Amino acid sequence: MNKKHQLEDILADNVSIMDTDDTNEETNIEPEAAEGFCVECKDQEADMFCIQCKESFCEVCYGMIHRTGKRAHHEHKVFSVQKSSIPKKDTKESQPETVTKMPVQLPAFDIGEFMENRTKFIPLRLQMEERKYLRLLEAALNVTEYTDKIDDPSTTGKAKRTVNQIKELCAILTGIIFACDYKRGQELFAERSFEENERLFQKIFEIGRRHKIMNPEKMRTAYGKLMYLLSDSMIPEVKEMLGFDCVIPIRTVYDYLNERHGLSILHEDIILIATREIIPEGKTRTKIQSEIKGKERSIEQLSRKYQSKYLSCDEIRHCLYSIGDNDAYLRANRDPCEKMIRYLEKHFASTHAEPNFSLSIASGTQGHRLSHNHETQYIYVNQTLKLWREILNDMFKLWTLADQDLLSPHNPYRLSQTGQGLHRIQPCPAVSREMHRTLFKAQKKAGTWIGSSVIHLGDKNVPNALMFIDKYNQVARILNPICITIDRIDELGKNEGIRQLIEKKFGSLDDCKKTILCDFFRFAFDGSGADNFYDAGSCIDGRLTSAWNCKH
């Protein structure tokens, strides 16, 4: 029986559920790491060889695995292999003199390299035609009850779920085609042939994914349905019956410029001026207008200089505006962490507490789950805010990796009760590797680390990469109200009546700020973000959950 007849029979209910055999899932055997690479992550060059473990690791994996317990006392040496047994890109290992001199010879900041690495994860801003498809996709997703029908405990059997997934997916895709082209939709509905429309489906779904990354506050409900629908479409049985692939990589600025031979634009120094966000706070109107004109001149200069038969002026502007959108995202989401760090360092001493402004907490009192003196809590809060800053700085990269984890055909999920309802629990290998690298860098900068280093991913605390992204998108929502309040106190104090009220209640404007910050730093970082003592604490996920719990 061919794929087309099999799909028609299932959709027409000509096939009994019992006829759809439940085959045993294939056992995925992880391939061994290539020689010269880390045995843990398998995708990074090995830097260290553990004498006791007798295995090679990259610096990040070695640091994480050998951080605590008996392994912390293991000895290591610099990893080296025979020149002939490693790939060409690893031959620099045999030239230690050159490697040690590299930082001295290279400039402190290479704009071209920095921008290329950055734009690989910056999605391309939607064009007018693409926004029409976006509205169409949102409308289709808003009326479907996809997740309610599919993620149902009563239909968790593999045969039933496969049939339901195909029916729901085909209904949505047919609706989209009808809306785009009625005649084409009639042909599709009659023959159930989706292969001819593969590129259109891929384009529409990619537009939705790209738009969400650029606008995290949009598509709050529709995006979850979209990602779960696409995740189901990547299941081998479903994909075989449909006969086409719904998923293509997200279009980025780097890919767009690379296809059109325009990467040299990213190596111009003025690209930093052309893509920066103009911040009006604390500036005169003349200064603001001067910065706007300077930005516009830079954009025009780059557009005229690099236009070609492959790349028009408008396309260059479009790429520059997309990079500028990323700057705006970082300011809105990462900068609140920067502000809170400055508030902490300005208003509190790291080694001793002022009267009435101690950050110390004790487990069992006022809902706290941790016991820290003032100095320990100061370090704990400081480290957590800096870790969040690093994560949000790389959020577009983490989002791209999360997209890969969710839509990988070799990364199946399972439905399970997590204590917060029925969720899809799915491993997050790509996100986990990047998170461990980020955590390792943060720990290395800090020197000492207060609390646990456990990163919950693919378990009942953080079931999948979609939940991970959603959690860290809330950081700015948590910190922004505090930042706005602290910034407005001095302005409010200019009113004599309000100033007298604040001074009567708190003593001074600074004491008012310290009271607000002290309460937040104590109750938002106390390990209380769970229903039981086993899940609460100082793990990487628990720090954010505690802050969310404090906000509500």
Side-chain angles (χ1 to χ4, degrees):
M1 183 181 294
N2 59 38
K3 290 188 291 184
K4 180 177 177 181
H5 290 163
Q6 184 181 7
L7 179 59
E8 290 178 348
D9 289 340
I10 290 177
L11 291 173
D13 291 325
N14 293 331
V15 177
S16 169
I17 292 174
M18 298 302 296
D19 294 337
T20 311
D21 297 331
D22 287 346
T23 56
N24 295 328
E25 295 184 2
E26 297 181 1
T27 304
N28 292 327
I29 302 176
E30 292 190 8
E32 294 184 0
E35 189 172 2
F37 285 79
C38 172
V39 298
E40 184 67 20
C41 64
K42 301 181 178 64
D43 62 356
Q44 297 294 313
E45 301 170 14
D47 300 314
M48 301 178 175
F49 182 83
C50 179
I51 298 175
Q52 283 74 23
C53 298
K54 296 182 179 179
E55 291 179 321
S56 55
F57 300 91
C58 65
E59 184 181 11
V60 174
C61 292
Y62 183 89
M64 295 304 301
I65 293 175
H66 294 79
R67 186 168 176 271
T68 58
K70 294 182 178 179
R71 289 189 174 185
H73 303 289
H74 284 193
E75 297 179 354
H76 69 275
K77 60 182 181 180
V78 177
F79 177 77
S80 63
V81 294
Q82 295 295 328
K83 184 175 181 180
S84 60
S85 62
I86 59 175
K88 291 182 179 180
K89 65 177 182 179
D90 294 332
T91 54
K92 60 182 180 182
E93 295 288 345
S94 62
Q95 300 175 358
E97 297 82 9
T98 305
V99 173
T100 54
K101 293 180 181 179
M102 286 289 280
V104 179
Q105 295 176 350
L106 290 177
F109 180 69
D110 186 339
I111 293 177
E113 181 181 0
F114 169 76
M115 292 302 297
E116 284 195 13
N117 291 332
R118 182 183 168 195
T119 53
K120 287 177 181 178
F121 304 102
I122 297 179
L124 199 63
R125 178 190 279 194
L126 297 189
Q127 296 179 346
M128 185 58 66
E129 184 66 25
E130 292 176 325
R131 293 186 184 277
K132 296 179 182 178
Y133 283 117
L134 174 66
R135 288 193 293 270
L136 182 67
L137 177 63
E138 286 189 272
L141 291 171
N142 286 335
V143 299
T144 183
E145 298 178 351
Y146 181 80
T147 49
D148 295 336
K149 293 180 180 179
I150 300 302
D151 293 345
D152 187 343
S154 64
T155 59
T156 53
K158 186 174 181 181
K160 288 184 178 180
R161 281 179 53 75
T162 302
V163 174
N164 287 337
Q165 287 163 359
I166 295 174
K167 283 186 175 182
E168 189 68 28
L169 184 61
C170 290
I172 294 173
L173 298 181
T174 304
I176 291 176
I177 292 299
F178 260 119
C180 289
D181 190 329
Y182 182 77
K183 183 178 180 180
R184 196 176 185 184
Q186 279 187 316
E187 297 173 356
L188 176 66
F189 186 75
E191 299 181 5
R192 303 286 182 185
S193 174
F194 295 98
E195 292 88 343
E196 297 176 2
N197 304 303
E198 179 178 18
R199 289 187 178 181
L200 177 62
F201 292 138
Q202 291 174 344
K203 178 181 178 180
I204 293 174
F205 292 137
E206 186 273 336
I207 288 171
R209 290 153 57 209
R210 176 156 40 108
H211 174 72
K212 176 63 176 178
I213 298 177
M214 299 293 286
N215 304 273
E217 73 283 357
K218 302 290 183 65
M219 298 178 66
R220 297 284 297 169
T221 303
Y223 180 70
K225 294 180 185 179
L226 173 63
M227 294 307 295
Y228 283 167
L229 184 149
L230 293 178
S231 177
D232 288 337
S233 77
M234 297 302 292
I235 296 175
E237 294 88 347
V238 178
K239 190 174 180 180
E240 181 181 358
M241 293 175 185
L242 289 176
F244 75 98
D245 194 347
C246 294
V247 177
I248 56 174
I250 292 174
R251 297 184 73 190
T252 65
V253 174
Y254 179 88
D255 294 334
Y256 190 82
L257 291 175
N258 191 33
E259 291 170 1
R260 291 158 176 77
H261 311 286
L263 287 179
S264 53
I265 298 173
L266 302 176
H267 292 258
E268 289 284 349
D269 291 351
I270 62 172
I271 195 172
L272 298 179
I273 301 175
T275 58
R276 69 179 178 180
E277 184 184 14
I278 306 300
I279 303 172
E281 286 84 358
K283 298 176 183 176
T284 63
R285 182 178 295 273
T286 305
K287 177 67 172 175
I288 295 172
Q289 291 297 328
S290 175
E291 290 184 358
I292 292 174
K293 290 180 179 179
K295 179 176 180 177
E296 291 174 349
R297 281 196 302 269
S298 299
I299 292 174
E300 290 302 318
Q301 183 177 341
L302 289 172
S303 301
R304 290 195 302 269
K305 181 176 180 180
Y306 288 98
Q307 64 175 330
S308 64
K309 63 179 181 179
Y310 305 107
L311 201 60
S312 68
C313 287
D314 288 340
E315 288 173 335
I316 294 174
R317 292 192 195 97
H318 191 72
C319 291
L320 294 176
Y321 290 146
S322 299
I323 300 174
D325 291 342
N326 178 247
D327 278 357
Y329 171 87
L330 292 177
R331 177 172 177 263
N333 291 270
R334 181 196 60 191
D335 286 9
C337 294
E338 296 273 10
K339 285 186 176 181
M340 294 301 291
I341 293 171
R342 290 199 298 267
Y343 295 150
L344 175 66
E345 295 174 348
K346 177 181 178 181
H347 295 289
F348 298 91
S350 60
T351 56
H352 63 277
E354 297 180 24
N356 302 322
F357 296 112
S358 174
L359 299 180
S360 61
I361 57 177
S363 179
T365 62
Q366 299 180 301
H368 303 313
R369 298 278 180 89
L370 302 174
S371 294
H372 289 163
N373 59 29
H374 174 86
E375 183 178 359
T376 303
Q377 182 69 0
Y378 180 95
I379 297 173
Y380 179 73
V381 173
N382 193 294
Q383 290 176 344
T384 303
L385 290 171
K386 289 180 178 178
L387 177 62
W388 290 352
R389 180 186 63 189
E390 295 296 324
I391 292 172
L392 292 172
N393 187 61
D394 292 333
M395 197 60 177
F396 277 21
K397 181 178 182 180
L398 287 167
W399 207 318
T400 303
L401 297 175
D403 191 86
Q404 295 174 10
D405 284 338
L406 284 166
L407 305 181
S408 172
H410 308 296
N411 191 24
Y413 65 85
R414 59 184 174 86
L415 282 176
S416 179
Q417 289 288 349
T418 64
Q420 302 176 34
L422 192 67
H423 283 279
R424 299 186 178 197
I425 296 182
Q426 184 181 31
C428 315
V431 174
S432 179
R433 281 198 297 270
E434 187 59 32
M435 276 295 294
H436 278 91
R437 291 190 186 106
T438 302
L439 176 60
F440 179 75
K441 288 189 292 185
Q443 290 175 334
K444 197 171 182 180
K445 290 179 181 178
T448 58
W449 189 258
I450 304 297
S452 171
S453 299
V454 175
I455 299 175
H456 289 288
L457 283 170
D459 58 16
K460 63 186 183 68
N461 292 300
V462 184
N464 52 56
L466 179 63
M467 299 299 172
F468 166 83
I469 290 297
D470 186 61
K471 285 177 73 76
Y472 280 95
N473 273 329
Q474 308 309 314
V475 172
R477 292 171 177 260
I478 297 171
L479 300 183
N480 259 328
I482 308 294
C483 294
I484 293 172
T485 302
I486 299 300
D487 290 340
R488 289 293 302 277
I489 287 177
D490 288 332
E491 183 180 344
L492 292 172
K494 294 178 181 178
N495 183 295
E496 187 62 28
I498 296 177
R499 185 183 186 89
Q500 289 178 2
L501 179 64
I502 292 175
E503 290 177 347
K504 181 179 178 180
K505 180 67 176 178
F506 299 100
S508 66
L509 296 181
D510 281 345
D511 285 350
C512 178
K513 295 178 184 179
K514 288 181 182 179
T515 302
I516 296 171
L517 292 171
C518 185
D519 282 349
F520 181 73
F521 291 148
R522 291 177 68 243
F523 288 93
F525 300 87
D526 62 352
S528 61
D531 296 330
N532 57 72
F533 283 93
Y534 297 102
D535 293 337
S538 58
C539 63
I540 304 306
D541 172 67
R543 297 169 192 243
L544 181 52
T545 313
S546 299
W548 178 260
N549 187 57
C550 173
K551 179 187 176 185
H552 288 75

